[in-house]
Amino acid sequence: MTDLAVGIDIGGTKTAVGLVTRTGEVIARLDAPTPANEGGDSIVSAASSLAHTLLHGRTVIGVGVGAAGVIDSVARRVVSATGSLSNWAGTDLGRAFEAALDLPVVVQNDVHAHAAGEAFVGAGRGHGTVLVAAVGTGIGGAVVVDGQPQFGAHGVAGHLGHLPAEEAAGILCPCGREGHLEAIASGTALHELYLRLGGDADVQDAREVVRRTDNDQRARTAVVTSARALGRCLGGLVNVIDPDIVIIAGGMRRAGALWWSSVEEAMRTTAMPLVERVPLVEASLGDDAAIIGAARGAFESLEAVNQ
Ligand SMILES: [Zn+2]
């Protein structure tokens, strides 16, 4: 038995690969741009090449992959993907990585892997039930129970960006439906909301909207509106799941005090009194979370098989 696994995180823009210990320490890592327009074979081949370089003859228990898109962890395939990765849906990740690396392979979604990493050695360490909201250009998430991200029947579980939010009524969500949280509370949506409110057309992104909240009433309104929508959804989830802790990951976690206080107030006033004091914290692992979570998936699945 070996104490190392390869963790692979395939995102829409970047692929990162690490050698990860059983206790969740990354001892070596490499990353490179994901060849997003070149199809599944090229994406797998780019990731495998990074893994080969890192492995350099070292023995590992296997490979854990966290990949963008909806992933069927049992079939180890990409079920569906957004437009950011072309010819990605249908890719047989299990077989492709096994062929490339000659190692056993375990596959999950990248947000699930990220959440598993945070729950294992990040902000959720030591907690049994962890709710992770990943709020960036889009919104994803996961519920991790005793270290295991919940995949659901189709690999879709945790997609909290597609909860209904009244502020998003009539606004098209990237998933194709209207009225979802992601359409009002992602970074992209915050910027669009600011422009709809009549904000300065020269403002380019959510980061700039956040920076203007001291002096620009429209920026304040946009930030508070989108943060409250997120907070209410989190409060509703707290009522359903009763987590030990709620973690916010993704770029919007740097959106500042007004955003955080608006999220928190809405979450606590929506949560039932018994659960309203649940801790709400920022993710702590940064870029390595998904590598660690993917490797953790490999340790758990492959050792269970070997026992
Ligand atoms: Zn949606």
PDB file of all heavy atoms in Angstrom, residues 136-165:
ATOM      1  N   GLY A 136     -18.559  32.125  -8.145  1.00  0.00           N
ATOM      2  CA  GLY A 136     -17.580  32.827  -8.977  1.00  0.00           C
ATOM      3  C   GLY A 136     -18.272  33.357 -10.222  1.00  0.00           C
ATOM      4  O   GLY A 136     -19.326  33.977 -10.112  1.00  0.00           O
ATOM      5  N   THR A 137     -17.695  33.080 -11.411  1.00  0.00           N
ATOM      6  CA  THR A 137     -18.374  33.495 -12.645  1.00  0.00           C
ATOM      7  C   THR A 137     -19.695  32.747 -12.781  1.00  0.00           C
ATOM      8  O   THR A 137     -20.640  33.247 -13.376  1.00  0.00           O
ATOM      9  CB  THR A 137     -17.488  33.225 -13.873  1.00  0.00           C
ATOM     10  OG1 THR A 137     -17.032  31.874 -13.804  1.00  0.00           O
ATOM     11  CG2 THR A 137     -16.285  34.134 -13.879  1.00  0.00           C
ATOM     12  N   GLY A 138     -19.780  31.541 -12.232  1.00  0.00           N
ATOM     13  CA  GLY A 138     -21.034  30.798 -12.102  1.00  0.00           C
ATOM     14  C   GLY A 138     -21.215  30.454 -10.633  1.00  0.00           C
ATOM     15  O   GLY A 138     -20.457  30.931  -9.782  1.00  0.00           O
ATOM     16  N   ILE A 139     -22.231  29.632 -10.326  1.00  0.00           N
ATOM     17  CA  ILE A 139     -22.418  29.193  -8.936  1.00  0.00           C
ATOM     18  C   ILE A 139     -22.599  27.684  -8.910  1.00  0.00           C
ATOM     19  O   ILE A 139     -23.474  27.140  -9.589  1.00  0.00           O
ATOM     20  CB  ILE A 139     -23.656  29.861  -8.290  1.00  0.00           C
ATOM     21  CG1 ILE A 139     -23.464  31.382  -8.252  1.00  0.00           C
ATOM     22  CG2 ILE A 139     -23.874  29.313  -6.873  1.00  0.00           C
ATOM     23  CD1 ILE A 139     -24.596  32.118  -7.565  1.00  0.00           C
ATOM     24  N   GLY A 140     -21.745  27.016  -8.140  1.00  0.00           N
ATOM     25  CA  GLY A 140     -21.880  25.578  -7.939  1.00  0.00           C
ATOM     26  C   GLY A 140     -21.885  25.296  -6.455  1.00  0.00           C
ATOM     27  O   GLY A 140     -21.943  26.211  -5.631  1.00  0.00           O
ATOM     28  N   GLY A 141     -21.769  24.046  -6.104  1.00  0.00           N
ATOM     29  CA  GLY A 141     -21.717  23.727  -4.687  1.00  0.00           C
ATOM     30  C   GLY A 141     -21.749  22.245  -4.453  1.00  0.00           C
ATOM     31  O   GLY A 141     -21.781  21.449  -5.407  1.00  0.00           O
ATOM     32  N   ALA A 142     -21.710  21.879  -3.196  1.00  0.00           N
ATOM     33  CA  ALA A 142     -21.753  20.468  -2.844  1.00  0.00           C
ATOM     34  C   ALA A 142     -22.104  20.318  -1.377  1.00  0.00           C
ATOM     35  O   ALA A 142     -21.825  21.208  -0.564  1.00  0.00           O
ATOM     36  CB  ALA A 142     -20.401  19.799  -3.106  1.00  0.00           C
ATOM     37  N   VAL A 143     -22.706  19.191  -1.073  1.00  0.00           N
ATOM     38  CA  VAL A 143     -22.919  18.785   0.308  1.00  0.00           C
ATOM     39  C   VAL A 143     -21.970  17.615   0.557  1.00  0.00           C
ATOM     40  O   VAL A 143     -21.996  16.632  -0.192  1.00  0.00           O
ATOM     41  CB  VAL A 143     -24.378  18.339   0.546  1.00  0.00           C
ATOM     42  CG1 VAL A 143     -24.562  17.889   1.986  1.00  0.00           C
ATOM     43  CG2 VAL A 143     -25.333  19.468   0.190  1.00  0.00           C
ATOM     44  N   VAL A 144     -21.101  17.750   1.562  1.00  0.00           N
ATOM     45  CA  VAL A 144     -20.144  16.692   1.869  1.00  0.00           C
ATOM     46  C   VAL A 144     -20.533  16.097   3.224  1.00  0.00           C
ATOM     47  O   VAL A 144     -20.629  16.822   4.215  1.00  0.00           O
ATOM     48  CB  VAL A 144     -18.705  17.245   1.933  1.00  0.00           C
ATOM     49  CG1 VAL A 144     -17.702  16.114   2.146  1.00  0.00           C
ATOM     50  CG2 VAL A 144     -18.366  18.013   0.654  1.00  0.00           C
ATOM     51  N   VAL A 145     -20.767  14.796   3.233  1.00  0.00           N
ATOM     52  CA  VAL A 145     -21.152  14.116   4.475  1.00  0.00           C
ATOM     53  C   VAL A 145     -20.068  13.103   4.829  1.00  0.00           C
ATOM     54  O   VAL A 145     -19.768  12.210   4.024  1.00  0.00           O
ATOM     55  CB  VAL A 145     -22.515  13.402   4.318  1.00  0.00           C
ATOM     56  CG1 VAL A 145     -22.898  12.690   5.617  1.00  0.00           C
ATOM     57  CG2 VAL A 145     -23.600  14.403   3.925  1.00  0.00           C
ATOM     58  N   ASP A 146     -19.456  13.270   5.991  1.00  0.00           N
ATOM     59  CA  ASP A 146     -18.372  12.383   6.437  1.00  0.00           C
ATOM     60  C   ASP A 146     -17.310  12.201   5.350  1.00  0.00           C
ATOM     61  O   ASP A 146     -16.869  11.085   5.065  1.00  0.00           O
ATOM     62  CB  ASP A 146     -18.932  11.023   6.875  1.00  0.00           C
ATOM     63  CG  ASP A 146     -19.847  11.157   8.094  1.00  0.00           C
ATOM     64  OD1 ASP A 146     -19.649  12.115   8.875  1.00  0.00           O
ATOM     65  OD2 ASP A 146     -20.771  10.344   8.243  1.00  0.00           O
ATOM     66  N   GLY A 147     -16.927  13.301   4.725  1.00  0.00           N
ATOM     67  CA  GLY A 147     -15.853  13.276   3.739  1.00  0.00           C
ATOM     68  C   GLY A 147     -16.291  12.962   2.323  1.00  0.00           C
ATOM     69  O   GLY A 147     -15.523  13.108   1.385  1.00  0.00           O
ATOM     70  N   GLN A 148     -17.533  12.529   2.171  1.00  0.00           N
ATOM     71  CA  GLN A 148     -17.996  12.075   0.861  1.00  0.00           C
ATOM     72  C   GLN A 148     -18.942  13.097   0.226  1.00  0.00           C
ATOM     73  O   GLN A 148     -20.030  13.317   0.741  1.00  0.00           O
ATOM     74  CB  GLN A 148     -18.728  10.738   1.043  1.00  0.00           C
ATOM     75  CG  GLN A 148     -19.285  10.145  -0.230  1.00  0.00           C
ATOM     76  CD  GLN A 148     -18.202   9.782  -1.229  1.00  0.00           C
ATOM     77  OE1 GLN A 148     -17.246   9.074  -0.934  1.00  0.00           O
ATOM     78  NE2 GLN A 148     -18.337  10.317  -2.447  1.00  0.00           N
ATOM     79  N   PRO A 149     -18.548  13.729  -0.909  1.00  0.00           N
ATOM     80  CA  PRO A 149     -19.501  14.620  -1.578  1.00  0.00           C
ATOM     81  C   PRO A 149     -20.690  13.820  -2.097  1.00  0.00           C
ATOM     82  O   PRO A 149     -20.514  12.702  -2.601  1.00  0.00           O
ATOM     83  CB  PRO A 149     -18.695  15.221  -2.738  1.00  0.00           C
ATOM     84  CG  PRO A 149     -17.456  14.421  -2.862  1.00  0.00           C
ATOM     85  CD  PRO A 149     -17.268  13.636  -1.601  1.00  0.00           C
ATOM     86  N   GLN A 150     -21.881  14.359  -1.945  1.00  0.00           N
ATOM     87  CA  GLN A 150     -23.082  13.658  -2.397  1.00  0.00           C
ATOM     88  C   GLN A 150     -23.296  13.936  -3.883  1.00  0.00           C
ATOM     89  O   GLN A 150     -23.435  15.093  -4.281  1.00  0.00           O
ATOM     90  CB  GLN A 150     -24.288  14.131  -1.562  1.00  0.00           C
ATOM     91  CG  GLN A 150     -24.086  13.944  -0.059  1.00  0.00           C
ATOM     92  CD  GLN A 150     -23.861  12.488   0.320  1.00  0.00           C
ATOM     93  OE1 GLN A 150     -24.733  11.643   0.138  1.00  0.00           O
ATOM     94  NE2 GLN A 150     -22.671  12.169   0.828  1.00  0.00           N
ATOM     95  N   PHE A 151     -23.320  12.889  -4.702  1.00  0.00           N
ATOM     96  CA  PHE A 151     -23.429  13.070  -6.151  1.00  0.00           C
ATOM     97  C   PHE A 151     -24.891  13.086  -6.614  1.00  0.00           C
ATOM     98  O   PHE A 151     -25.209  13.678  -7.625  1.00  0.00           O
ATOM     99  CB  PHE A 151     -22.701  11.943  -6.897  1.00  0.00           C
ATOM    100  CG  PHE A 151     -21.219  11.864  -6.590  1.00  0.00           C
ATOM    101  CD1 PHE A 151     -20.597  10.644  -6.388  1.00  0.00           C
ATOM    102  CD2 PHE A 151     -20.453  13.015  -6.526  1.00  0.00           C
ATOM    103  CE1 PHE A 151     -19.237  10.563  -6.129  1.00  0.00           C
ATOM    104  CE2 PHE A 151     -19.078  12.952  -6.257  1.00  0.00           C
ATOM    105  CZ  PHE A 151     -18.474  11.717  -6.056  1.00  0.00           C
ATOM    106  N   GLY A 152     -25.774  12.412  -5.884  1.00  0.00           N
ATOM    107  CA  GLY A 152     -27.166  12.282  -6.321  1.00  0.00           C
ATOM    108  C   GLY A 152     -27.310  11.197  -7.376  1.00  0.00           C
ATOM    109  O   GLY A 152     -26.357  10.488  -7.696  1.00  0.00           O
ATOM    110  N   ALA A 153     -28.525  11.094  -7.927  1.00  0.00           N
ATOM    111  CA  ALA A 153     -28.821  10.006  -8.871  1.00  0.00           C
ATOM    112  C   ALA A 153     -28.178  10.216 -10.234  1.00  0.00           C
ATOM    113  O   ALA A 153     -27.919   9.270 -10.959  1.00  0.00           O
ATOM    114  CB  ALA A 153     -30.335   9.856  -9.032  1.00  0.00           C
ATOM    115  N   HIS A 154     -27.905  11.470 -10.613  1.00  0.00           N
ATOM    116  CA  HIS A 154     -27.376  11.756 -11.951  1.00  0.00           C
ATOM    117  C   HIS A 154     -26.086  12.569 -11.915  1.00  0.00           C
ATOM    118  O   HIS A 154     -25.689  13.152 -12.915  1.00  0.00           O
ATOM    119  CB  HIS A 154     -28.416  12.516 -12.785  1.00  0.00           C
ATOM    120  CG  HIS A 154     -29.728  11.819 -12.885  1.00  0.00           C
ATOM    121  ND1 HIS A 154     -30.741  12.001 -11.965  1.00  0.00           N
ATOM    122  CD2 HIS A 154     -30.179  10.900 -13.776  1.00  0.00           C
ATOM    123  CE1 HIS A 154     -31.764  11.232 -12.306  1.00  0.00           C
ATOM    124  NE2 HIS A 154     -31.448  10.562 -13.383  1.00  0.00           N
ATOM    125  N   GLY A 155     -25.466  12.664 -10.733  1.00  0.00           N
ATOM    126  CA  GLY A 155     -24.250  13.476 -10.630  1.00  0.00           C
ATOM    127  C   GLY A 155     -24.523  14.971 -10.508  1.00  0.00           C
ATOM    128  O   GLY A 155     -23.598  15.780 -10.525  1.00  0.00           O
ATOM    129  N   VAL A 156     -25.781  15.347 -10.386  1.00  0.00           N
ATOM    130  CA  VAL A 156     -26.161  16.767 -10.418  1.00  0.00           C
ATOM    131  C   VAL A 156     -26.222  17.385  -9.011  1.00  0.00           C
ATOM    132  O   VAL A 156     -26.185  18.609  -8.866  1.00  0.00           O
ATOM    133  CB  VAL A 156     -27.527  16.923 -11.140  1.00  0.00           C
ATOM    134  CG1 VAL A 156     -28.041  18.351 -11.076  1.00  0.00           C
ATOM    135  CG2 VAL A 156     -27.394  16.497 -12.610  1.00  0.00           C
ATOM    136  N   ALA A 157     -26.266  16.577  -7.967  1.00  0.00           N
ATOM    137  CA  ALA A 157     -26.486  17.084  -6.603  1.00  0.00           C
ATOM    138  C   ALA A 157     -25.497  18.192  -6.256  1.00  0.00           C
ATOM    139  O   ALA A 157     -24.317  18.120  -6.598  1.00  0.00           O
ATOM    140  CB  ALA A 157     -26.357  15.944  -5.598  1.00  0.00           C
ATOM    141  N   GLY A 158     -25.992  19.216  -5.584  1.00  0.00           N
ATOM    142  CA  GLY A 158     -25.142  20.317  -5.165  1.00  0.00           C
ATOM    143  C   GLY A 158     -25.204  21.542  -6.062  1.00  0.00           C
ATOM    144  O   GLY A 158     -24.631  22.569  -5.727  1.00  0.00           O
ATOM    145  N   HIS A 159     -25.912  21.447  -7.188  1.00  0.00           N
ATOM    146  CA  HIS A 159     -25.977  22.590  -8.115  1.00  0.00           C
ATOM    147  C   HIS A 159     -26.832  23.718  -7.537  1.00  0.00           C
ATOM    148  O   HIS A 159     -27.909  24.019  -8.033  1.00  0.00           O
ATOM    149  CB  HIS A 159     -26.584  22.150  -9.453  1.00  0.00           C
ATOM    150  CG  HIS A 159     -25.570  21.688 -10.442  1.00  0.00           C
ATOM    151  ND1 HIS A 159     -25.042  20.429 -10.411  1.00  0.00           N
ATOM    152  CD2 HIS A 159     -24.966  22.326 -11.480  1.00  0.00           C
ATOM    153  CE1 HIS A 159     -24.167  20.298 -11.404  1.00  0.00           C
ATOM    154  NE2 HIS A 159     -24.092  21.435 -12.055  1.00  0.00           N
ATOM    155  N   LEU A 160     -26.323  24.373  -6.491  1.00  0.00           N
ATOM    156  CA  LEU A 160     -27.192  25.333  -5.805  1.00  0.00           C
ATOM    157  C   LEU A 160     -27.405  26.619  -6.587  1.00  0.00           C
ATOM    158  O   LEU A 160     -28.255  27.425  -6.241  1.00  0.00           O
ATOM    159  CB  LEU A 160     -26.718  25.579  -4.375  1.00  0.00           C
ATOM    160  CG  LEU A 160     -25.324  26.110  -4.117  1.00  0.00           C
ATOM    161  CD1 LEU A 160     -25.336  27.617  -4.131  1.00  0.00           C
ATOM    162  CD2 LEU A 160     -24.849  25.605  -2.760  1.00  0.00           C
ATOM    163  N   GLY A 161     -26.653  26.832  -7.667  1.00  0.00           N
ATOM    164  CA  GLY A 161     -26.892  27.987  -8.531  1.00  0.00           C
ATOM    165  C   GLY A 161     -28.236  27.938  -9.231  1.00  0.00           C
ATOM    166  O   GLY A 161     -28.694  28.945  -9.768  1.00  0.00           O
ATOM    167  N   HIS A 162     -28.873  26.764  -9.205  1.00  0.00           N
ATOM    168  CA  HIS A 162     -30.126  26.629  -9.937  1.00  0.00           C
ATOM    169  C   HIS A 162     -31.317  26.468  -9.006  1.00  0.00           C
ATOM    170  O   HIS A 162     -32.346  25.919  -9.378  1.00  0.00           O
ATOM    171  CB  HIS A 162     -29.998  25.518 -10.978  1.00  0.00           C
ATOM    172  CG  HIS A 162     -28.778  25.746 -11.815  1.00  0.00           C
ATOM    173  ND1 HIS A 162     -28.719  26.713 -12.791  1.00  0.00           N
ATOM    174  CD2 HIS A 162     -27.524  25.232 -11.714  1.00  0.00           C
ATOM    175  CE1 HIS A 162     -27.480  26.752 -13.286  1.00  0.00           C
ATOM    176  NE2 HIS A 162     -26.744  25.870 -12.644  1.00  0.00           N
ATOM    177  N   LEU A 163     -31.167  26.983  -7.784  1.00  0.00           N
ATOM    178  CA  LEU A 163     -32.311  27.146  -6.883  1.00  0.00           C
ATOM    179  C   LEU A 163     -33.111  28.360  -7.364  1.00  0.00           C
ATOM    180  O   LEU A 163     -32.543  29.299  -7.938  1.00  0.00           O
ATOM    181  CB  LEU A 163     -31.814  27.422  -5.459  1.00  0.00           C
ATOM    182  CG  LEU A 163     -31.314  26.209  -4.687  1.00  0.00           C
ATOM    183  CD1 LEU A 163     -30.526  26.664  -3.472  1.00  0.00           C
ATOM    184  CD2 LEU A 163     -32.479  25.335  -4.256  1.00  0.00           C
ATOM    185  N   PRO A 164     -34.412  28.375  -7.109  1.00  0.00           N
ATOM    186  CA  PRO A 164     -35.197  29.546  -7.502  1.00  0.00           C
ATOM    187  C   PRO A 164     -34.870  30.759  -6.630  1.00  0.00           C
ATOM    188  O   PRO A 164     -34.640  30.625  -5.428  1.00  0.00           O
ATOM    189  CB  PRO A 164     -36.648  29.089  -7.281  1.00  0.00           C
ATOM    190  CG  PRO A 164     -36.567  27.953  -6.338  1.00  0.00           C
ATOM    191  CD  PRO A 164     -35.229  27.309  -6.518  1.00  0.00           C
ATOM    192  N   ALA A 165     -34.801  31.940  -7.262  1.00  0.00           N
ATOM    193  CA  ALA A 165     -34.552  33.192  -6.548  1.00  0.00           C
ATOM    194  C   ALA A 165     -35.458  34.259  -7.146  1.00  0.00           C
ATOM    195  O   ALA A 165     -35.441  34.469  -8.365  1.00  0.00           O
ATOM    196  CB  ALA A 165     -33.080  33.594  -6.690  1.00  0.00           C
TER     197      ALA A 165
END
